[in-house]
Every structure is written in C-alpha cells, then in structure tokens.
Amino acid sequence: MALLIEQSPETAADVTAAVVDTYTARRERVQEIPLADLVAGSVSADLSTVTAVVAGDMRVVEIVAEDYDDLERLAPATWTLAGRGWDVIVLVPCNRVGDAHASLRAAPCRLQPWWLDEHGVWFGALETP
C-alpha cells in the first residue's frame, strides 16, 4: 500500500508551531530559533533556513527538516549539539525517513517522522538512525 501526502509551503511552520504548542502545554520554556544560531562557529554548512525548537530546561533541540532539505548537512550540527549536552531530535517528513536513516546513520540524534492531513500535524514514533 502506498501513502501519498501532499505538503504545502507552510509545512515547516506548521510542524514548528505544533512542537512549540506541545512544550507550551507542558509548561516548558521553549524557543524557536534558526539552527545556525545554535551551532554558529562550529558548523560550516549553511543552516540559516533550518528551524530548531529548543526546550532549554529539558536540554532538547528539535530540528525541523523540510521535504527539500539536504539531510546530510544536519549531521555536523547533531554532533555539535550532542557534544554540548543536548538531546537532539530531527523531525523529518515521513516520506524522507529512509533518506534520514542513510544521511544521519550513527549521528547522535533520534528521528521522528511527521506528516500533515486535514486534521493537522501528526508525529510518528522516535527512531534511531
């Protein structure tokens, strides 16, 4: 059985908002910032278009990947953040989970697929690349 999920240009913003809402509902302090700001000076890849959701008290960074992102460029950022004591989760479109496993193999992160339907944003189970 095949699953076709069409994504709109707003998907990263929708996913980011859903993650922020989840932490906010738990009364966690959360901030949305460019991933490049978190790893400035440590990673040479251009990460200025990649969004991260940071839950500082929990020491969790959730990186929101979009359908067109080169997932391999996220690997150095996961190593940098993990080396600083952060738990890293890379949120990937469900149609890119296979690519994420290949691109982030052995990286210090967990993967979580996401998708949209008429009811909103959904998240799959956490996976280890």
Side-chain angles (χ1 to χ4, degrees), residues 40-127:
S42 300
V43 175
S44 61
D46 178 15
L47 301 172
S48 61
T49 61
V50 181
T51 302
V53 177
V54 179
D57 293 339
M58 295 178 63
R59 300 289 297 167
V60 175
V61 174
E62 299 207 26
I63 300 170
V64 182
E66 295 191 66
D67 198 39
Y68 59 82
D69 278 330
D70 174 9
L71 299 172
E72 287 183 13
R73 73 184 173 137
L74 300 179
T78 66
W79 285 101
T80 296
L81 293 168
R84 295 177 183 166
W86 292 95
D87 182 19
V88 181
I89 299 169
V90 179
L91 302 167
V92 294
C94 68
N95 63 324
R96 299 284 314 276
V97 171
D99 293 338
H101 277 281
S103 298
L104 298 168
R105 185 174 317 276
C109 65
R110 291 178 291 159
L111 306 175
Q112 187 169 31
W114 61 263
W115 65 96
L116 293 171
D117 68 14
E118 66 274 4
H119 302 291
V121 179
W122 298 91
F123 297 95
L126 291 168
E127 304 177 19

